[in-house]
Amino acid sequence: MKKQTIDTRPAGPKPWNDPRVRSLFFQAIAIAFVFWGGWVLVDNTLSNMESRGISTGFGFLNETAGFGIIMNLVPYDATMSYGRTFWVGLTNTLLVSAMGVVAATILGFIIGVARLSSNWLVAKMALVYIEVIRNIPLLLQIFFWYFAVLSNLPSPRQSVDVGGALFLNNRGLYLPEPLTQEGFGIVWGGILLAIAAVVGIRIWAKKRQLATGQIFPTFKVGVAILVVVPLVSYLVAGSPIEWDIPALKGFNFGGGITIIPELAALWIALSLYTASFIAEIVRSGILSVSKGQTEASKALGLPNGLTLRLVVIPQAMRVIIPPLTSQYLNLVKNSSLATAIGYPDLVAVFMGTTLNQTGQAVEVVAITMAVYLTISLLISLFMNIYNRAVAIKER
Amino acid sequence: MGNSMTDQTLTSETQTPPKDQSDKKPGIIRVEGMHKWYGDFHVLKDLNLTVDQGERIVICGPSGSGKSTFIRCINRLEEHQQGKIIVDDVELTDDVRQIDTVRREVGMVFQHFNLFPHLTVLENCCLSPIWVRKTPRKEAEASAMEYLERVKIPDQANKFPGQLSGGQQQRVAIARALCMKPKIMLFDEPTSALDPEMIKEVLDVMIELAGSGMTMMCVTHEMGFAKTVADRVIFMDGGEIVEQAPPHEFFTNPQEARTQKFLQQILAH
Ligand SMILES: Nc1ncnc2c1ncn2[C@@H]1O[C@H](COP(=O)(O)OP(=O)(O)OP(=O)(O)O)[C@@H](O)[C@H]1O
Ligand SMILES: [Mg+2]
């Protein structure tokens, strides 16, 4: 038998078997495809627009819009520019999204905890809510609230009247609007004073806890101060608020603040729908904290409330936050279903009417997409910062 | 108090380690005719036991005999359905305040440590003294450091539990329980989840604790530990207390057939 010399170096793989070469190759192909696709799109669009005689550029933003919008948070009328319609649409989108995020979070946490309740009825009701709501398409739910519930409210003349100040009918919910009068500066002063006092008490309470171990009821006292001080300064200043109370004028109400049914329907549907997902996230977050943690906490004599607050929730949050972020993103994106019932959000106003009137498809779509992307990235950023703050340090 | 009388006679027979009986309270734990069911399953059957202050009890028995369930009833991590459990003169009922009172005086160490992973070792130790005992933080931290020194890991105080070995974690868990200055310590198989080389470091801490006069109830299979520190060994099987005796008697002259069989099995290894 012939003795072979053994090469101790591992034999290098053939280039097409080398994982590094392979991955480079596939990445190159992928990039080539993306560029080619992008070029085809741009080239195609430009030549189409040229053949139809559409000008490009953002000059249209300064032209007069000439159409009305049923709800505006920034001042608007039909003589204003297309640029202004963008801000109206954007603020409307932000409003319904912010309202939706707050309501969905509160409702979702309550239902998520209820789902784990030891009370059979409460737990089953939460389960039914979750299963029903999250399995019906959102668009259907928006239609339900808009057409089946809110449209069937009485007409303005037969409005539901709460104390002569609050009116509900099929045109919306009418609330009195506070108009600040001369002397309201004193009330602002009172509010600032109250906030400063609460911050001061917090610092003092923490110091005292470090020194003497006594725990001060900061929350209760803080709430009391925040209520009492502004109230007293309000009375001292001679009640410097006048209420603009809505009143029936002709066929409809005028004055006060109006919540239009489009906003209400969209907000209710978005909140209820997203809450059902958040509830499941909260439930699984709490369940992810092992039973041993609760037992150890109880064995140390911590009562149930403190166990939840100091042991369970801090650990559950780190499981809850990433999927919660994506639910917030979903809610913002889902708010574009506003178009279906005519709530004037960014998509309805800007990508709808403005785009139809100007024909500036590329610019309008690009701006709108950039806005949604920015909102989403901002939400992700804030949630990541928060998540980093509550993350568990290990090794 | 017939029960407690027999216990007194049993304990007085033990020699190791000697302890001062003068101001010790008899019957700091009293279990009377206690039953527990899981649904239809009768886990604990008519348990009677009196433990005096400073006594060290070791509970052993085959798997599933109800040892964990029993010891967890003492601080009401499990509730019993019949009979009485009285700890330091407070009866365990549905009353939440009484339960919290008992839990403040009873420390517990678990098989799987159950340290809080989001808090440092020091914060783990201070949490309950600060929030439940309302100890000033500075004081709580100083006393926590003392206990961490006693379990020989003061240098790990600012690490997180995930950064420690199993043996170190269990010693932190013991220190955490001691920080509440409990009158009674319960241990549920504190060394069963540990590698052999870490068992000794935890047992050493427990032996030291036993020497300091702490009232201890300990579920364990460490028969060496039982022989060194126990005043009484309790053998459970099928949810009943089958036999109880001082360790030398228990190991050399078991009375019941089930105890003999169990001892043969575990001592064979
Ligand atoms: N939550 C529960 N629901 C129903 N049965 C249970 C529950 N917990 C324990 N059991 C049963 O009760 C019996 C006693 O359990 P326990 O954990 O007290 O035994 P153990 O003596 O500690 O055993 P081991 O040595 O394995 O830890 C077992 O048969 C077990 O299956
Ligand atoms: Mg057990």
Side-chain angles (χ1 to χ4, degrees), chain A residues 211-224:
Chain A
T212 69
Q214 280 159 339
I215 295 167
F216 189 77
T218 316
F219 183 77
K220 283 178 205 160
V221 173
V223 169

Side-chain angles (χ1 to χ4, degrees), chain B residues 2-241:
Chain B
N3 233 335
S4 112
M5 282 308 293
T6 49
D7 295 337
Q8 283 292 344
T9 40
L10 281 173
T11 48
S12 59
E13 284 172 21
T14 61
Q15 318 94 329
T16 49
K19 63 181 198 284
D20 174 22
Q21 290 280 7
S22 56
D23 59 343
K24 296 296 184 189
K25 178 178 186 167
I28 193 165
I29 303 174
R30 278 181 291 159
V31 179
E32 293 165 12
M34 192 261 275
H35 290 259
K36 174 168 179 61
W37 286 265
Y38 280 124
D40 291 338
F41 178 51
H42 200 171
V43 223
L44 299 178
K45 298 164 193 162
D46 191 31
L47 298 189
N48 290 286
L49 178 72
T50 305
V51 180
D52 295 335
Q53 191 164 19
E55 239 193 317
R56 296 161 292 245
I57 309 285
V58 163
I59 303 174
C60 62
S63 181
S65 55
K67 308 179 296 290
S68 297
T69 311
F70 178 35
I71 202 166
R72 288 156 58 85
C73 282
I74 308 287
N75 65 352
R76 198 122 171 144
L77 288 181
E78 304 284 350
E79 51 184 86
H80 59 285
Q81 280 91 28
Q82 203 182 310
K84 270 188 186 172
I85 302 178
I86 300 162
V87 180
D88 197 20
D89 294 332
V90 180
E91 187 178 352
L92 284 169
T93 58
D94 285 332
D95 187 330
V96 184
R97 275 177 316 171
Q98 303 209 31
I99 296 174
D100 285 338
T101 311
V102 167
R103 283 176 180 166
R104 278 199 290 275
E105 305 306 331
V106 179
M108 184 159 197
V109 175
F110 300 85
Q111 184 176 359
H112 296 289
F113 331 137
N114 296 346
L115 294 175
F116 306 131
H118 61 301
L119 301 176
T120 63
V121 165
L122 192 62
E123 287 166 342
N124 263 278
C125 293
C126 293
L127 189 73
S128 194
I130 288 174
W131 287 92
V132 177
R133 287 248 191 265
K134 314 249 190 282
T135 316
R137 183 182 295 270
K138 289 241 171 62
E139 224 170 85
E141 283 178 355
S143 127
M145 285 310 295
E146 269 169 39
Y147 284 110
L148 287 174
E149 250 152 57
R150 219 167 126 186
V151 301
K152 302 184 182 62
I153 36 175
D155 44 332
Q156 312 286 352
N158 293 313
K159 286 195 180 165
F160 285 88
Q163 300 168 311
L164 305 183
S165 76
Q168 290 172 326
Q169 290 191 45
Q170 193 60 299
R171 284 183 283 152
V172 172
I174 295 173
R176 176 176 73 176
L178 291 177
C179 281
M180 281 297 278
K181 307 202 164 56
K183 293 187 178 147
I184 300 163
M185 285 285 284
L186 308 175
F187 295 82
D188 189 3
E189 304 202 28
T191 55
S192 307
L194 297 175
D195 293 338
E197 67 266 29
M198 295 173 186
I199 291 180
K200 189 177 174 302
E201 62 188 46
V202 172
L203 286 182
D204 284 347
V205 166
M206 289 171 63
I207 291 169
E208 197 259 350
L209 186 63
S212 75
M214 174 68 76
T215 312
M216 290 166 76
M217 268 181 89
C218 184
V219 176
T220 184
H221 296 297
E222 295 295 331
M223 290 306 143
F225 174 78
K227 281 177 192 161
T228 350
V229 305
D231 295 314
R232 231 189 313 166
V233 181
I234 291 177
F235 174 68
M236 284 182 73
D237 191 16
E240 292 166 316
I241 294 181

Side-chain angles (χ1 to χ4, degrees), chain A residues 96-366:
Chain A
V96 75
S97 301
M99 286 167 61
V101 162
V102 171
T105 306
I106 295 170
L107 197 60
F109 270 77
I110 292 172
I111 296 171
V113 171
R115 179 84 174 71
L116 293 171
S117 166
S118 51
N119 182 322
W120 184 87
L121 190 65
V122 171
K124 282 291 170 291
M125 270 165 49
L127 174 72
V128 169
Y129 172 89
I130 293 169
E131 290 308 330
V132 169
I133 298 286
R134 74 170 176 175
N135 287 315
I136 295 174
L138 176 56
L139 185 59
L140 232 78
Q141 297 189 39
I142 295 174
F143 282 155
F144 169 78
W145 288 104
Y146 188 60
F147 293 116
V149 179
L150 299 181
S151 300
N152 286 333
L153 288 172
S155 67
R157 285 177 180 283
Q158 275 96 44
S159 289
V160 180
D161 175 345
V162 183
L166 205 144
F167 302 93
L168 181 67
N169 59 49
N170 60 12
R171 302 280 189 87
L173 176 65
Y174 296 81
L175 307 166
E177 183 181 3
L179 301 174
T180 58
Q181 307 295 311
E182 214 180 317
F184 195 74
I186 296 176
V187 181
W188 281 121
I191 292 171
L192 289 180
L193 195 75
I195 292 172
V198 169
V199 172
I201 285 177
R202 254 196 77 117
I203 295 169
W204 168 80
K206 192 145 195 196
K207 266 204 192 128
R208 193 178 76 141
Q209 203 261 325
L210 282 177
T212 69
Q214 280 159 339
I215 295 167
F216 189 77
T218 316
F219 183 77
K220 283 178 205 160
V221 173
V223 169
I225 289 177
L226 285 179
V227 171
V228 170
V229 175
L231 194 72
V232 168
S233 56
Y234 174 78
L235 295 175
V236 167
S239 311
I241 284 186
E242 266 185 20
W243 293 92
D244 181 14
I245 295 174
L248 194 59
K249 291 173 189 137
F251 291 109
N252 205 351
F253 278 87
I257 300 172
T258 314
I259 295 175
I260 57 173
E262 289 79 9
L263 172 61
L266 187 64
W267 177 51
I268 294 171
L270 278 176
S271 305
L272 294 182
Y273 182 72
T274 313
S276 68
F277 290 90
I278 292 179
E280 280 297 277
I281 291 169
V282 168
R283 182 179 78 104
S284 62
I286 290 177
L287 285 181
S288 77
V289 181
S290 73
K291 221 171 141 243
Q293 292 289 311
T294 334
E295 284 178 352
S297 173
K298 286 183 180 171
L300 282 167
L302 288 157
N304 280 337
L306 283 177
T307 296
L308 206 63
R309 185 172 132 204
L310 299 172
V311 175
V312 177
I313 289 180
Q315 292 184 60
M317 276 323 261
R318 100 206 131 104
V319 178
I320 290 174
I321 291 204
L324 187 65
T325 308
S326 70
Q327 284 311 318
Y328 288 170
L329 300 184
N330 280 346
L331 189 147
V332 173
K333 290 179 283 183
N334 286 339
S335 75
S336 62
L337 288 172
T339 315
I341 53 169
Y343 174 72
D345 81 323
L346 185 65
V347 171
V349 171
F350 200 59
M351 256 182 59
T353 319
T354 299
L355 172 58
N356 281 338
Q357 292 192 5
T358 61
Q360 303 283 355
V362 175
E363 293 83 351
V364 168
V365 172

